[in-house]
Short mmCIF file of all heavy atoms in Angstrom, two decimals:
data_model
loop_
_atom_site.label_atom_id
_atom_site.label_comp_id
_atom_site.label_asym_id
_atom_site.label_seq_id
_atom_site.Cartn_x
_atom_site.Cartn_y
_atom_site.Cartn_z
N LEU A 1 -7.14 28.98 6.13
CA LEU A 1 -5.95 28.54 7.04
C LEU A 1 -5.07 29.88 7.28
O LEU A 1 -4.68 30.44 6.35
CB LEU A 1 -5.17 27.57 6.45
CG LEU A 1 -3.91 27.02 7.19
CD1 LEU A 1 -4.30 26.39 8.42
CD2 LEU A 1 -3.05 26.17 6.29
N ARG A 2 -4.90 30.13 8.60
CA ARG A 2 -4.10 31.32 8.88
C ARG A 2 -2.75 30.77 9.55
O ARG A 2 -2.71 29.98 10.56
CB ARG A 2 -4.79 32.14 10.05
CG ARG A 2 -4.06 33.40 10.48
CD ARG A 2 -3.98 34.42 9.36
NE ARG A 2 -3.23 35.58 9.77
CZ ARG A 2 -2.90 36.55 8.98
NH1 ARG A 2 -3.15 36.44 7.64
NH2 ARG A 2 -2.18 37.61 9.41
N LEU A 3 -1.58 31.14 8.82
CA LEU A 3 -0.30 30.70 9.41
C LEU A 3 0.38 31.95 9.90
O LEU A 3 0.36 33.06 9.28
CB LEU A 3 0.50 30.12 8.27
CG LEU A 3 -0.11 28.94 7.57
CD1 LEU A 3 0.63 28.57 6.36
CD2 LEU A 3 -0.28 27.73 8.56
N SER A 4 1.17 31.84 11.08
CA SER A 4 1.87 33.01 11.51
C SER A 4 3.10 32.56 12.22
O SER A 4 3.12 31.43 12.76
CB SER A 4 0.97 33.82 12.50
OG SER A 4 0.72 33.12 13.71
N ILE A 5 4.21 33.27 12.26
CA ILE A 5 5.48 33.09 12.92
C ILE A 5 5.71 34.41 13.69
O ILE A 5 5.65 35.49 13.12
CB ILE A 5 6.46 32.67 12.02
CG1 ILE A 5 7.82 32.37 12.92
CG2 ILE A 5 6.77 33.67 10.95
CD1 ILE A 5 8.82 31.64 12.09
N GLU A 6 6.06 34.29 14.87
CA GLU A 6 6.23 35.41 15.81
C GLU A 6 7.55 35.25 16.56
O GLU A 6 7.88 34.25 17.12
CB GLU A 6 5.20 35.62 16.82
CG GLU A 6 5.27 36.76 17.69
CD GLU A 6 4.10 36.96 18.57
OE1 GLU A 6 3.00 37.43 18.05
OE2 GLU A 6 4.07 36.49 19.74
N GLY A 7 8.37 36.33 16.57
CA GLY A 7 9.60 36.29 17.34
C GLY A 7 9.55 37.40 18.41
O GLY A 7 9.05 38.50 18.10
N GLU A 8 9.93 37.08 19.68
CA GLU A 8 9.82 38.09 20.76
C GLU A 8 10.99 37.99 21.52
O GLU A 8 11.70 36.98 21.89
CB GLU A 8 8.62 37.60 21.57
CG GLU A 8 8.36 38.50 22.82
CD GLU A 8 7.19 38.03 23.64
OE1 GLU A 8 7.34 37.20 24.48
OE2 GLU A 8 6.02 38.55 23.34
N GLN A 9 11.42 39.33 21.98
CA GLN A 9 12.52 39.51 22.76
C GLN A 9 12.10 40.15 24.12
O GLN A 9 11.42 41.22 24.09
CB GLN A 9 13.66 40.32 22.08
CG GLN A 9 14.80 40.73 23.05
CD GLN A 9 15.71 39.53 23.40
OE1 GLN A 9 15.90 38.68 22.57
NE2 GLN A 9 16.21 39.51 24.60
N ARG A 10 12.33 39.54 25.26
CA ARG A 10 11.95 40.13 26.64
C ARG A 10 13.28 40.56 27.45
O ARG A 10 13.95 39.52 27.68
CB ARG A 10 11.10 39.20 27.30
CG ARG A 10 9.65 39.21 26.77
CD ARG A 10 8.77 38.32 27.50
NE ARG A 10 7.30 38.33 27.04
CZ ARG A 10 6.36 39.00 27.56
NH1 ARG A 10 6.63 39.88 28.64
NH2 ARG A 10 5.16 38.98 27.05
N ASN A 11 13.41 41.66 27.74
CA ASN A 11 14.62 42.07 28.44
C ASN A 11 14.03 42.43 29.95
O ASN A 11 13.17 43.33 30.10
CB ASN A 11 15.36 43.39 27.94
CG ASN A 11 15.89 43.03 26.59
OD1 ASN A 11 16.30 41.88 26.33
ND2 ASN A 11 15.95 44.04 25.67
N SER A 12 14.49 41.75 30.93
CA SER A 12 14.09 41.90 32.26
C SER A 12 14.42 43.12 32.97
O SER A 12 15.55 43.63 32.81
CB SER A 12 14.44 40.63 33.13
OG SER A 12 14.01 40.77 34.45
N ASP A 13 13.51 43.72 33.69
CA ASP A 13 13.75 44.87 34.53
C ASP A 13 13.92 44.47 36.14
O ASP A 13 14.03 45.15 36.89
CB ASP A 13 12.55 45.90 34.54
CG ASP A 13 12.47 46.53 33.17
OD1 ASP A 13 13.51 46.92 32.59
OD2 ASP A 13 11.36 46.59 32.56
N THR A 14 13.93 43.14 36.37
CA THR A 14 14.09 42.66 37.70
C THR A 14 15.43 41.94 37.97
O THR A 14 15.53 41.37 39.10
CB THR A 14 12.91 41.66 37.91
OG1 THR A 14 13.08 40.49 37.15
CG2 THR A 14 11.58 42.23 37.72
N GLY A 15 16.33 42.10 37.07
CA GLY A 15 17.60 41.40 37.31
C GLY A 15 17.78 39.97 36.78
O GLY A 15 18.82 39.34 36.86
N ARG A 16 16.61 39.48 36.33
CA ARG A 16 16.62 38.10 35.74
C ARG A 16 17.26 38.16 34.37
O ARG A 16 17.32 39.16 33.68
CB ARG A 16 15.22 37.43 35.62
CG ARG A 16 14.53 37.45 36.98
CD ARG A 16 13.11 36.87 36.94
NE ARG A 16 13.14 35.49 36.60
CZ ARG A 16 12.15 34.75 36.37
NH1 ARG A 16 10.88 35.25 36.32
NH2 ARG A 16 12.17 33.44 36.03
N GLU A 17 17.63 36.89 33.86
CA GLU A 17 18.14 36.89 32.46
C GLU A 17 17.14 37.23 31.47
O GLU A 17 15.94 37.00 31.67
CB GLU A 17 18.78 35.52 32.24
CG GLU A 17 19.96 35.00 33.17
CD GLU A 17 21.24 35.88 32.79
OE1 GLU A 17 21.24 36.57 31.65
OE2 GLU A 17 22.19 35.94 33.49
N ASP A 18 17.62 37.71 30.43
CA ASP A 18 16.68 38.10 29.22
C ASP A 18 16.25 36.79 28.55
O ASP A 18 17.02 35.74 28.73
CB ASP A 18 17.33 38.89 28.17
CG ASP A 18 17.74 40.28 28.89
OD1 ASP A 18 17.09 40.68 29.91
OD2 ASP A 18 18.75 41.01 28.30
N ARG A 19 15.31 36.80 27.80
CA ARG A 19 14.85 35.55 27.03
C ARG A 19 14.35 35.95 25.62
O ARG A 19 13.71 36.99 25.50
CB ARG A 19 13.88 34.84 27.84
CG ARG A 19 12.56 35.63 28.23
CD ARG A 19 11.84 34.82 29.42
NE ARG A 19 10.66 35.39 29.61
CZ ARG A 19 10.50 36.49 30.60
NH1 ARG A 19 11.56 37.08 30.98
NH2 ARG A 19 9.24 36.94 30.90
N THR A 20 14.44 35.00 24.76
CA THR A 20 14.06 35.15 23.31
C THR A 20 13.14 34.02 22.99
O THR A 20 13.40 32.86 23.33
CB THR A 20 15.24 35.11 22.41
OG1 THR A 20 16.16 36.18 22.78
CG2 THR A 20 14.79 35.28 21.02
N GLY A 21 12.03 34.22 22.51
CA GLY A 21 10.97 33.34 22.12
C GLY A 21 10.58 33.31 20.57
O GLY A 21 10.58 34.39 19.95
N THR A 22 10.25 32.18 20.14
CA THR A 22 9.60 32.08 18.81
C THR A 22 8.40 31.13 18.92
O THR A 22 8.37 30.15 19.53
CB THR A 22 10.67 31.32 17.94
OG1 THR A 22 11.82 31.93 18.01
CG2 THR A 22 10.14 31.17 16.48
N GLU A 23 7.32 31.60 18.13
CA GLU A 23 6.09 30.87 18.14
C GLU A 23 5.51 30.74 16.73
O GLU A 23 5.52 31.68 16.05
CB GLU A 23 5.06 31.52 19.09
CG GLU A 23 3.80 30.77 19.16
CD GLU A 23 2.82 31.35 20.10
OE1 GLU A 23 2.14 32.35 19.75
OE2 GLU A 23 2.69 31.03 21.29
N VAL A 24 5.26 29.51 16.37
CA VAL A 24 4.72 29.22 14.98
C VAL A 24 3.22 28.61 15.30
O VAL A 24 3.01 27.85 16.10
CB VAL A 24 5.45 28.11 14.28
CG1 VAL A 24 4.84 27.91 12.92
CG2 VAL A 24 6.94 28.69 14.07
N THR A 25 2.23 29.33 14.58
CA THR A 25 0.84 28.89 14.76
C THR A 25 0.04 28.69 13.53
O THR A 25 0.35 29.50 12.54
CB THR A 25 0.14 30.09 15.62
OG1 THR A 25 0.78 30.33 16.79
CG2 THR A 25 -1.32 29.68 15.90
N ALA A 26 -0.77 27.65 13.50
CA ALA A 26 -1.63 27.46 12.36
C ALA A 26 -3.07 27.32 12.93
O ALA A 26 -3.19 26.59 13.87
CB ALA A 26 -1.24 26.10 11.61
N ARG A 27 -3.88 28.13 12.36
CA ARG A 27 -5.33 28.12 12.67
C ARG A 27 -6.21 27.87 11.47
O ARG A 27 -5.99 28.44 10.41
CB ARG A 27 -5.74 29.52 13.19
CG ARG A 27 -4.98 30.00 14.44
CD ARG A 27 -5.41 31.36 14.83
NE ARG A 27 -4.84 31.94 16.04
CZ ARG A 27 -3.64 32.46 16.12
NH1 ARG A 27 -3.00 32.73 15.00
NH2 ARG A 27 -2.97 32.87 17.30
N LEU A 28 -7.17 26.88 11.67
CA LEU A 28 -8.08 26.55 10.56
C LEU A 28 -9.44 27.08 10.95
O LEU A 28 -9.92 26.78 12.06
CB LEU A 28 -8.09 24.97 10.42
CG LEU A 28 -9.00 24.48 9.29
CD1 LEU A 28 -8.29 24.92 7.93
CD2 LEU A 28 -9.00 22.89 9.48
N PHE A 29 -10.06 27.75 9.95
CA PHE A 29 -11.41 28.35 10.24
C PHE A 29 -12.45 27.73 9.16
O PHE A 29 -12.01 27.43 7.95
CB PHE A 29 -11.43 29.78 9.90
CG PHE A 29 -10.46 30.63 10.82
CD1 PHE A 29 -9.21 30.80 10.52
CD2 PHE A 29 -11.00 31.20 11.95
CE1 PHE A 29 -8.35 31.54 11.35
CE2 PHE A 29 -10.13 31.81 12.84
CZ PHE A 29 -8.88 32.01 12.49
N HIS A 30 -13.67 27.41 9.67
CA HIS A 30 -14.64 26.97 8.77
C HIS A 30 -16.03 27.51 9.30
O HIS A 30 -16.30 27.49 10.34
CB HIS A 30 -14.68 25.32 8.79
CG HIS A 30 -15.86 24.90 7.90
ND1 HIS A 30 -15.79 24.94 6.54
CD2 HIS A 30 -17.03 24.37 8.19
CE1 HIS A 30 -16.79 24.35 6.00
NE2 HIS A 30 -17.56 23.98 7.02
N ARG A 31 -16.69 28.14 8.27
CA ARG A 31 -17.88 28.72 8.56
C ARG A 31 -19.08 27.77 8.08
O ARG A 31 -19.22 27.44 7.02
CB ARG A 31 -18.04 30.07 7.78
CG ARG A 31 -19.48 30.84 8.01
CD ARG A 31 -19.41 32.15 7.28
NE ARG A 31 -18.52 33.10 7.89
CZ ARG A 31 -17.24 33.42 7.53
NH1 ARG A 31 -16.85 32.83 6.46
NH2 ARG A 31 -16.48 34.32 8.14
N LEU A 32 -20.03 27.60 9.06
CA LEU A 32 -21.23 26.75 8.79
C LEU A 32 -22.38 27.53 8.06
O LEU A 32 -22.37 28.81 8.19
CB LEU A 32 -21.58 26.13 10.14
CG LEU A 32 -20.59 25.30 10.88
CD1 LEU A 32 -21.22 24.67 12.18
CD2 LEU A 32 -20.07 24.11 9.96
N ASP A 33 -23.35 26.90 7.73
CA ASP A 33 -24.44 27.44 7.08
C ASP A 33 -25.29 28.28 8.13
O ASP A 33 -25.84 29.30 7.71
CB ASP A 33 -25.48 26.31 6.48
CG ASP A 33 -24.96 25.74 5.28
OD1 ASP A 33 -24.00 26.27 4.59
OD2 ASP A 33 -25.33 24.55 5.07
N ASN A 34 -25.27 27.93 9.31
CA ASN A 34 -26.09 28.73 10.30
C ASN A 34 -25.33 30.01 10.83
O ASN A 34 -25.94 30.57 11.92
CB ASN A 34 -26.50 27.78 11.46
CG ASN A 34 -25.29 27.18 12.15
OD1 ASN A 34 -24.23 27.56 11.91
ND2 ASN A 34 -25.62 26.31 13.10
N GLY A 35 -24.05 30.31 10.35
CA GLY A 35 -23.41 31.53 10.86
C GLY A 35 -22.49 31.23 11.98
O GLY A 35 -21.94 32.18 12.38
N VAL A 36 -22.36 29.94 12.38
CA VAL A 36 -21.34 29.58 13.41
C VAL A 36 -20.00 29.31 12.60
O VAL A 36 -19.90 28.66 11.67
CB VAL A 36 -21.80 28.40 14.18
CG1 VAL A 36 -20.73 27.92 15.08
CG2 VAL A 36 -23.16 28.59 14.75
N VAL A 37 -18.95 29.90 13.20
CA VAL A 37 -17.58 29.84 12.66
C VAL A 37 -16.76 28.86 13.69
O VAL A 37 -16.77 29.14 14.86
CB VAL A 37 -16.88 31.04 12.60
CG1 VAL A 37 -15.39 30.93 12.13
CG2 VAL A 37 -17.65 32.02 11.66
#
C-alpha cells in the first residue's frame, strides 16, 4: 500500500487568482504469479 499527501501552490502569470491544492492518494499493489502487477 502506497500512501502520499501532496501540497501545491500555483501562482498565476496571467493575472488570474493564485490557488492552493492538496491531494491525498492511496494506491494498492498486488503482484500475481505470472508477473502481472
Side-chain angles (χ1 to χ4, degrees):
L1 177 66
R2 181 69 181 173
L3 303 172
S4 65
I5 181 169
E6 180 176 283
E8 181 181 83
Q9 177 68 35
R10 287 183 175 261
N11 297 331
S12 177
D13 290 317
T14 63
R16 302 179 69 183
E17 293 291 344
D18 301 336
R19 56 199 186 277
T20 302
T22 304
E23 183 176 82
V24 179
T25 304
R27 298 179 178 89
L28 183 66
F29 300 87
H30 180 72
R31 181 176 288 102
L32 301 178
D33 291 338
N34 58 4
V36 176
V37 179

